[in-house]
Amino acid sequence: MGALGEADVAVPVALVQATKAFGGTIALKDASFELRPGEVLALLGENGAGKSTCVKLLAGVYLSTGGHIEVDGKPVVFHSPHDAQAAGISVMHQHPGLFPDLSVAENIYLGHMPRDRFGGIDNAAVLAGARKVLATVGLDVPAETRLGTLRTSEQQLVEIARALSLDARVLIMDEPTAALSQREVERLFTVVADLRLHGVAMMFVGHRMDEIFRIADRIAVLRDGRLIGIKPKAELGRAAAIGMMVGREVTDLYPERNHATGALVLEARGLSHAGGFSNIDLKLHAGEVLGLGGLVGSGRTEIARVLFGIDQPDAGEILIDGEAAHFASARDAMDARIAYVSEDRMGQSLVMDFSILDNAVLPVLDKAARSGFYGTDRAIDLVSDWLKRMKLRFSGYGQPVKELSGGNQQKVVLAKWLRTEPRVLILDEPTQGIDVGTKAEVHAMIADLAAQGMAIILISSEMPELIGMCDRIIVLREGHRTAEFARGEATQEKVLEAATKADKRADPAAQAASEEKRKGPLDILKRREFGLLAAMLAVAIPVTIINPRMVSAANLTAVSMDAALLVVAALAQMLVLITRNIDLSIAAVIGLSAYMAASMVQAYPGLDIGIGLMTACAVGGVAGLINGLVVTRGKIPAIVVTLASMSIFRGFNSIWAAGDQISADEVTQAWLDMTGLKIAGVPLIVIIAIVILCLGYVLLYRTAIGRELFAAGSNPDGARLIGIPVDRRILLAFGMAGLLGGLCGALWASRYATIDARVALGFELTVIASAVVGGVAIRGGSGTLLGIILGALTLLVIKNGLTLVRVDPLWLQGVYGLVILVAIGIDTFIVRRAEQARQARAR
């Protein structure tokens, strides 16, 4: 067990003979090590060696198959990440479990939100605490910023800030520097040094040997799921550590390259892209490896995206073999035999739910689908050779790529693009997050491809990699070229100086002042809500000119009462949508609840309002919970479940009604007055809807559970990593949606008086449209109450206006749909422009 028991100081946490198996696969076998106060234990190993398994055992994400965890010398069992956090363990995971639709502050404190005296979120404490830890990690962004607008490296800093916000006594860092620039790494190491002085026990998992030997006190090495040994840093040299990791000697991390370069293949002249880079000249020859160096955000990736046709240049030109070329899309660049390996392996290079084969064959799918018919055997023939050359470790071509280690995933990406037989290969951080052994294989492959005449652009944040692999290095800073070094001239000091030296052409203070001047009242034009208001006015104004009844008191009252019903239903749909699900049965729930409520009022007139509301809410709540249980326990997609339950609820309603209709004279007047009564001129149904919306606001924006609903939809896997019970939150969303649907059914029965089994037939489409038009994302994680209110009003105003101008009913639905499409198109354009502006500011 290594050094267990050697120190007199208390050991905060230790793994003791820990084993973890997944089915028949042993990921970790009999691993034992301890984390000591004021020390950093570095955990080394190739991809798939068991490092992340150790991390997730200590984090409470996994339960061990054998062995146990000790906290302060006593055996414990972590059933969830909350248990680990309660024991004082904080974790920075390899793939940050962040939530792009929430603010930076919420990302930092989600799962352990400070509470006010009423039990709600203490927003002031959240913002103050977030600003404090952001300053600690050196991230200068407002705590209220939406996380999705930040660069990858900035998001990694938010992950670090979140770990620090727990004020834990044990800090586990799983690949924390993979996406960080050198400056950001230095800041992290400063934080680690301070934590060491305060007695925090730390574990650092990484692949960069320079960082490991700089930060570690002791080094533990894993290979094939087994602990090979633990030694003090002073007793273990780099070569010995690498040998322990891979089981062999790795001597040629940067292979010798002596071949001559060939003809000019690609050239850029005065290339510029707003917000990314400006006036870039570069030349790339056959057989050459050209490096692009600089800090993260210096414009390196933006240049690669323009060269590959993803983004379009604002100025300058690209030449292939001396002739001007224009790439309107990535397909055009591929036709010119250019390939691009993105830095974002999981987000842009791979479809994580697809198999290895399906990912590898994507760029040459047309060759695997002769005459339009895809053939698995043809696909295997196309890519098997390159996958073998990559020495891919996999169980079969049908294995989901998400089951592979990071290094093997990168091999699939490289094989995928090399199968296109490119002349120009752009590699953006090709060795990020992969182990030393795989890194040596990738470097050997790059050298071999260059020797065969391929022209290669290498983008890397690792100085030794740039210097060791490149024939020339172009250094960038803030989108401008600052230096160029030939092979043999470059040193880490020279490259870093060129990447960080002050740029006299741009005054940051002046830029900030200019940015502030651009802000102002016109920013409202970039908001989604403005698009909806514009759509309503575009209909209401001309209709009012044609038919003044549009703004009459009677019409406005009728529209407001219809809107109240629709908004309550849209809120129910929003609750489900933000968790990345959908409820197609909402209208059937409303119809069933309405008829059951009216039936009970008819049967028990003395209890009218009470029995009607209780019945409707009970029916709706049960229906919602049934949907939620089948979705969460059965793991069946919500669209399938609710499509089936829609028919079931409708069928049950028809059987119960047996063709009967409950009319207004069969229920009490008090029941009918429940919605029609006016208070200070406002219909009671509108007041009820406002109260429900206020309660919805408190739930969604003032309670931790509400923010967890958004998190569960924004990033379900990330939510689970920090201990959010995602399935329970989804069940809660369906239950509350059903309850609101039942309440809406009761209000419907009171408002429209005459009720039969066809109540709200087809209404689900209007409800879903209201939520989506109002900005609730189908993908989950985002949406606002103001948005669904405006979405509902927009649809009703359009429908009301078309009716008042006497559009033929045969045309009404078509015109209605067309106007909705135009409204969404305008809204989407406004949102996209705002997003582009935010991205430009984030670069």
Side-chain angles (χ1 to χ4, degrees):
M1 189 170 136
L4 270 179
E6 293 177 8
D8 293 330
V9 293
V11 176
V13 68
L15 277 183
V16 181
Q17 300 295 308
T19 297
K20 180 61 181 176
F22 297 93
T25 303
I26 304 295
L28 190 69
K29 179 70 172 176
D30 296 332
S32 299
F33 58 80
E34 63 186 16
L35 304 184
R36 301 172 181 170
E39 275 193 358
V40 177
L41 173 71
L43 195 59
L44 285 179
E46 292 191 275
N47 290 106
K51 303 185 303 298
S52 290
T53 302
C54 289
V55 170
K56 290 181 178 179
L57 285 172
L58 292 170
V61 178
Y62 292 160
L63 278 172
S64 62
T65 308
H68 62 271
I69 298 170
E70 289 185 356
V71 174
D72 296 327
K74 299 177 181 179
V76 298
V77 177
F78 293 155
H79 295 285
S80 72
H82 275 309
D83 291 344
Q85 291 174 16
I89 300 173
S90 180
V91 182
M92 304 175 195
H93 289 282
Q94 179 178 1
H95 303 298
L98 299 174
F99 309 99
D101 301 294
L102 302 184
S103 72
V104 169
E106 288 174 321
N107 270 274
I108 290 172
Y109 279 102
L110 202 65
H112 58 287
M113 289 277 196
R115 307 296 177 90
D116 58 23
R117 60 179 178 172
F118 302 109
I121 298 172
D122 187 342
N123 284 319
V126 169
L127 291 173
R131 292 180 185 122
K132 182 178 178 181
V133 291
L134 288 174
T136 300
V137 301
L139 180 57
D140 185 18
V141 299
E144 303 89 345
T145 305
R146 188 171 69 85
L147 183 107
T149 64
L150 303 185
R151 298 193 305 267
T152 302
S153 63
E154 292 173 327
Q155 292 186 20
Q156 184 66 58
L157 289 174
V158 173
E159 174 79 359
I160 295 169
R162 181 167 71 187
L164 296 178
S165 71
L166 289 166
D167 196 22
R169 58 182 185 145
V170 177
L171 178 61
I172 299 173
M173 299 169 277
D174 191 0
E175 299 278 8
T177 63
L180 301 184
S181 68
Q182 189 63 40
R183 181 170 52 191
E184 291 162 340
V185 170
E186 294 297 327
R187 183 67 184 180
L188 172 62
F189 284 2
T190 301
V191 172
V192 169
D194 182 63
L195 294 174
R196 183 186 272 118
L197 293 176
H198 285 81
V200 176
M202 290 172 278
M203 185 170 82
F204 186 93
V205 181
H207 290 303
R208 298 175 180 175
M209 302 304 288
D210 288 345
E211 295 175 357
I212 293 294
F213 277 86
R214 178 179 168 190
I215 197 173
D217 297 295
R218 293 179 298 136
I219 297 175
V221 181
L222 290 169
R223 185 171 74 238
D224 297 329
R226 293 181 180 272
L227 184 66
I228 302 302
I230 304 175
K231 293 186 178 182
K233 175 178 64 176
E235 298 178 11
L236 188 66
R238 299 189 187 196
I242 293 172
M244 291 172 67
M245 286 170 55
V246 302
R248 65 187 189 278
E249 187 176 357
V250 179
T251 56
D252 298 323
L253 188 57
Y254 303 112
E256 290 291 331
R257 297 181 48 250
N258 299 313
H259 67 273
T261 58
L264 181 65
V265 176
L266 180 147
E267 183 179 3
R269 296 177 181 171
L271 208 61
S272 299
H273 180 67
F277 57 89
S278 177
N279 196 31
I280 297 297
D281 295 328
L282 63 82
K283 294 182 179 181
L284 179 65
H285 298 80
E288 181 181 29
V289 180
L290 173 64
L292 293 185
L295 303 179
V296 174
S298 60
R300 303 171 306 170
T301 295
E302 288 78 4
I303 291 173
R305 289 172 60 87
V306 168
L307 293 177
F308 192 58
I310 299 173
D311 298 325
Q312 305 304 308
D314 299 312
E317 59 179 346
I318 300 171
L319 294 89
I320 302 293
D321 295 328
E323 296 184 4
H326 174 69
F327 302 144
S329 67
R331 172 52 60 182
D332 291 343
M334 291 170 63
D335 291 341
R337 296 179 62 191
I338 298 175
Y340 170 49
V341 176
S342 168
E343 66 175 336
D344 185 2
R345 180 168 62 235
M346 298 179 68
Q348 297 180 13
S349 293
L350 293 171
V351 183
M352 300 306 291
D353 291 326
F354 278 19
S355 68
I356 293 170
L357 178 62
D358 290 341
N359 272 282
V361 82
L362 273 176
V364 290
L365 195 58
D366 55 333
K367 296 181 180 178
R370 294 175 184 170
S371 303
F373 294 98
Y374 177 78
T376 301
D377 291 340
R378 285 196 296 271
I380 292 174
D381 289 341
L382 283 169
V383 301
S384 60
D385 185 50
W386 273 110
L387 290 173
K388 289 176 183 175
R389 292 191 203 181
M390 293 289 112
K391 299 178 182 177
L392 183 70
R393 298 177 185 174
F394 65 111
S395 60
Y397 292 109
Q399 182 182 5
V401 76
K402 64 184 177 183
E403 294 180 0
L404 300 177
S405 65
N408 282 308
Q409 288 177 356
Q410 188 71 345
K411 289 179 180 180
V412 174
V413 175
L414 292 168
K416 175 179 83 170
W417 285 112
L418 290 173
R419 182 57 189 83
T420 64
E421 300 177 357
R423 296 179 62 204
V424 176
L425 177 62
I426 305 173
L427 300 171
D428 196 350
E429 303 285 7
T431 63
Q432 178 175 285
I434 65 176
D435 57 71
V436 174
T438 304
K439 188 176 293 188
E441 293 173 1
V442 171
H443 290 161
M445 179 207 69
I446 292 172
D448 183 57
L449 292 172
Q452 295 175 33
M454 188 177 295
I456 299 173
I457 294 177
L458 176 62
I459 300 171
S460 177
S461 296
E462 294 190 45
M463 296 288 186
E465 184 170 65
L466 279 177
I467 295 169
M469 291 301 303
C470 298
D471 298 297
R472 287 184 297 124
I473 300 173
I474 293 176
V475 185
L476 303 167
R477 181 187 181 277
E478 295 183 357
H480 296 283
R481 175 173 168 158
T482 58
E484 179 177 329
F485 300 101
R487 188 179 182 88
E489 295 179 357
T491 64
Q492 292 197 42
E493 292 75 15
K494 289 181 180 179
V495 174
L496 187 59
E497 181 185 2
T500 58
K501 67 182 180 183
D503 189 348
K504 297 179 181 179
R505 291 168 293 185
D507 179 0
Q511 288 180 343
S514 176
E515 183 67 28
E516 287 300 318
K517 288 179 180 178
R518 286 196 293 269
K519 295 179 180 180
L522 290 181
D523 269 4
I524 192 174
L525 300 179
K526 298 178 181 178
R527 293 181 60 86
R528 175 182 292 273
E529 290 79 7
F530 177 81
L532 298 175
L533 287 171
M536 279 190 280
L537 292 174
V539 173
I541 292 174
V543 169
T544 301
I545 294 173
I546 297 172
N547 189 343
R549 285 182 54 201
M550 181 78 177
V551 292
S552 67
N555 188 59
L556 292 177
T557 298
V559 170
S560 69
M561 295 177 75
D562 289 343
L565 282 173
L566 183 53
V567 164
V568 172
L571 174 59
Q573 190 66 238
M574 175 183 173
L575 289 171
V576 176
L577 285 174
I578 61 175
T579 65
R580 202 175 286 196
N581 290 281
I582 193 169
D583 187 0
L584 298 178
S585 70
I586 182 66
V589 171
I590 291 172
L592 179 60
S593 301
Y595 193 86
M596 296 293 284
S599 297
M600 295 301 289
V601 173
Q602 181 188 33
Y604 303 98
L607 301 174
D608 49 15
I609 294 178
I611 194 72
L613 287 174
M614 288 177 60
T615 300
C617 290
V619 169
V622 170
L625 288 174
I626 290 172
N627 283 333
L629 285 169
V630 178
V631 169
T632 55
R633 299 291 176 84
K635 304 301 179 184
I636 302 173
I639 192 170
V640 175
V641 172
T642 57
L643 184 62
S645 63
M646 175 179 68
S647 299
I648 293 171
F649 297 154
R650 284 287 180 196
F652 180 80
N653 200 10
S654 296
I655 293 171
W656 183 271
D660 289 339
Q661 186 181 73
I662 301 174
S663 59
D665 56 5
E666 295 178 272
V667 295
T668 65
Q669 188 60 42
W671 174 254
L672 299 177
D673 290 341
M674 182 175 67
T675 53
L677 185 69
K678 290 187 177 181
I679 299 176
V682 180
L684 184 57
I685 190 173
V686 175
I687 295 174
I688 292 172
I690 291 172
V691 171
I692 292 171
L693 287 171
C694 290
L695 292 174
Y697 172 81
V698 171
L699 170 70
L700 291 174
Y701 299 100
R702 298 293 299 171
T703 70
I705 287 178
R707 304 317 292 160
E708 289 175 359
L709 288 174
F710 283 96
S714 183
N715 183 355
D717 292 335
R720 290 187 177 93
L721 279 179
I722 64 172
I724 294 175
V726 173
D727 286 348
R728 277 189 280 170
R729 293 295 173 261
I730 293 173
L731 180 60
L732 177 65
F734 273 103
M736 290 190 297
L739 186 66
L740 287 173
L743 178 59
C744 189
L747 298 177
W748 189 297
S750 172
R751 161 116 168 89
Y752 294 111
T754 300
I755 302 298
D756 58 25
R758 295 173 297 172
V759 165
L761 189 64
F763 189 56
E764 61 275 344
L765 297 179
T766 305
V767 173
I768 295 170
S770 297
V772 174
V773 169
V776 182
I778 291 288
R779 61 171 174 76
S782 68
T784 65
L785 290 178
L786 178 58
I788 64 169
I789 293 170
L790 292 177
L793 287 174
T794 299
L795 297 189
L796 289 175
V797 166
I798 292 171
K799 184 177 181 179
N800 184 251
L802 295 178
T803 302
L804 287 174
V805 296
R806 297 182 180 180
V807 172
D808 191 320
L810 296 176
W811 290 92
L812 182 59
Q813 289 300 317
V815 175
Y816 186 27
L818 180 62
V819 175
I820 292 173
L821 185 63
V822 172
I824 294 175
I826 295 171
D827 172 51
T828 302
F829 173 77
I830 292 171
V831 172
R832 186 183 297 124
R833 289 293 297 272
E835 184 66 24
Q836 289 173 348
R838 283 194 295 268
Q839 290 176 352
R841 289 195 296 270
R843 289 185 178 125

